Amino acid sequence: MKKIYILTFISSILFSCTSNPEDKWRGKWNFDSYKVEDISQLYSYYNISKSGEIDQYLMPLIGVDYLMVEDGNANNLSGLNYSSGKFTADDKYLKINNKKVYEIIDYRKNSVKLKPLMLEFNQDDNPLNDIILTFVSDDLYNTTELDYTQPQYNKWRKIPTDKEEPQTIIDRLTQQVEYARIYFEKESKLHNKVKTIGVELPFQFYRNGIVLEEYDPMQKWTNYFYDFDDQQLAYTYLLHAFKQVNSEQIKTDNILEYDRLLLKNMETYLKSVKVNIPK
């Protein structure tokens, strides 16, 4: 009996030595909430006096973020920053491509608290200013199909550093609509609901269909275009695409299927657009 105990003990040591500590991060972690110790610091930073306005500034930066870890790689969306590459982790930091992305504040099996190191408020020396994000494990998510965390669906997130040609703007918009469609299909299949803020276009989803909101420069999706003129051009074509496909007959009684087809038709229409506006 003693030999059995010894063998068991030895095997457990060997397992702990060979087990990858990063395996505990495997899967998808969804943004759940944020916390800041001294909210007055952020109010002061933004020169805000009225309570409740801070979300207007934080949510476009935070959004519905995720961390997807699989086979030693990670796809991470944190505010406006999307990163993808080799994933490593220790007791203090999560790294993607050997760059620190999060500081680990607290880890539990189904929820983690992380300090996003990319946010400008988190780069000073005052811990009271730190924004801490809580992520929860999504056991339903898998990468067998419609994996919107993958780089091919997130190419449009590379924010331009200069004016873009009209066709480039429409192509970026088309990729955004494709992402919205993939996001919608995946989330509705898994959870039978869609978090509107995760679809980075001015859409609102209701029980009887999709509504396209009026243009608002505070909307997160506009941040991926260089300036106001580029945003206006993108919205003009988005509105035209919405009206174009919304006038078509989509014959289905399933509202989720209706929404999926509408987004798919918008994507198809925008892919057919060829723009050549003289300067």
Side-chain angles (χ1 to χ4, degrees):
M1 182 65 70
K2 185 179 293 185
K3 290 182 180 179
I4 294 176
Y5 285 139
I6 292 173
L7 287 173
T8 303
F9 178 72
I10 293 174
S11 64
S12 65
I13 293 177
L14 290 174
F15 177 78
S16 63
C17 291
T18 57
S19 177
N20 186 348
E22 296 154 14
D23 284 346
K24 69 181 183 180
W25 295 99
R26 183 179 296 275
K28 184 165 182 284
W29 299 83
N30 291 328
F31 167 80
D32 182 63
S33 60
Y34 71 86
K35 180 181 179 182
V36 59
E37 290 296 327
D38 188 356
I39 196 72
S40 66
Q41 294 291 330
L42 289 177
Y43 277 93
S44 175
Y45 181 91
Y46 281 120
N47 194 27
I48 291 175
S49 57
K50 189 170 69 174
S51 176
E53 286 187 354
I54 195 68
D55 281 356
Q56 295 181 25
Y57 296 89
L58 284 183
M59 293 313 291
L61 294 173
I62 295 174
V64 177
D65 297 355
Y66 55 74
L67 172 68
M68 180 73 195
V69 179
E70 187 177 44
D71 298 330
N73 292 298
N75 301 314
N76 176 66
L77 177 62
S78 179
L80 300 178
N81 300 301
Y82 174 83
S83 54
S84 179
K86 183 175 174 56
F87 175 85
T88 55
D90 53 30
D91 291 337
K92 293 184 177 180
Y93 297 102
L94 301 183
K95 299 179 182 178
I96 297 179
N97 293 329
N98 207 33
K99 182 176 182 180
K100 293 178 182 178
V101 177
Y102 292 107
E103 181 181 345
I104 302 170
I105 305 302
D106 181 47
Y107 173 85
R108 300 184 184 184
K109 185 176 180 180
N110 294 315
S111 68
V112 294
K113 296 184 184 300
L114 303 174
K115 175 182 173 180
L117 300 177
M118 305 300 291
L119 289 181
E120 58 181 299
F121 331 101
N122 285 353
Q123 295 174 9
D124 59 30
D125 296 327
N126 186 355
L128 295 180
N129 295 356
D130 290 348
I131 296 176
I132 306 301
L133 306 185
T134 297
F135 289 80
V136 295
S137 177
D138 187 348
D139 296 331
L140 296 178
Y141 199 97
N142 61 71
T143 58
T144 55
E145 61 176 344
L146 298 177
D147 183 13
Y148 59 77
T149 71
Q150 290 297 311
Q152 65 263 32
Y153 297 125
N154 290 274
K155 294 178 181 179
W156 54 273
R157 293 187 185 280
K158 185 177 180 180
I159 299 176
T161 57
D162 203 348
K163 292 284 290 183
E164 293 184 312
E165 294 294 326
Q167 187 62 54
T168 303
I169 295 170
I170 302 307
D171 291 344
R172 182 185 294 276
L173 175 65
T174 304
Q175 292 171 350
Q176 279 185 284
V177 174
E178 179 186 34
Y179 175 86
R181 194 251 310 166
I182 296 294
Y183 181 97
F184 180 86
E185 290 191 34
K186 184 74 169 182
E187 288 297 311
S188 60
K189 282 186 176 182
L190 294 179
H191 305 290
N192 199 34
K193 63 180 180 180
V194 177
K195 298 177 182 178
T196 306
I197 196 171
V199 182
E200 295 179 21
L201 288 170
F203 291 136
Q204 289 289 340
F205 294 88
Y206 297 96
R207 293 182 180 273
N208 60 344
I210 299 178
V211 171
L212 180 64
E213 298 177 324
E214 293 184 1
Y215 170 83
D216 184 343
M218 291 300 296
Q219 291 164 337
K220 184 178 178 181
W221 74 280
T222 64
N223 288 280
Y224 297 99
F225 297 92
Y226 180 73
D227 59 15
F228 177 78
D229 291 336
D230 288 1
Q231 295 170 8
Q232 286 287 293
L233 178 64
Y235 186 78
T236 296
Y237 276 89
L238 183 65
L239 178 61
H240 189 67
F242 185 77
K243 289 181 177 178
Q244 183 78 15
V245 302
N246 207 25
S247 63
E248 297 175 358
Q249 294 297 320
I250 300 177
K251 297 180 180 179
T252 177
D253 295 328
N254 186 319
I255 191 58
L256 293 178
E257 177 67 5
Y258 175 88
D259 291 347
R260 186 192 71 80
L261 289 172
L262 189 143
L263 289 171
K264 179 61 178 176
N265 289 349
M266 287 184 66
E267 178 189 342
T268 300
Y269 172 80
L270 288 170
K271 284 181 177 179
S272 71
V273 171
K274 302 301 176 186
V275 187
N276 184 16
I277 300 177
K279 295 182 179 179

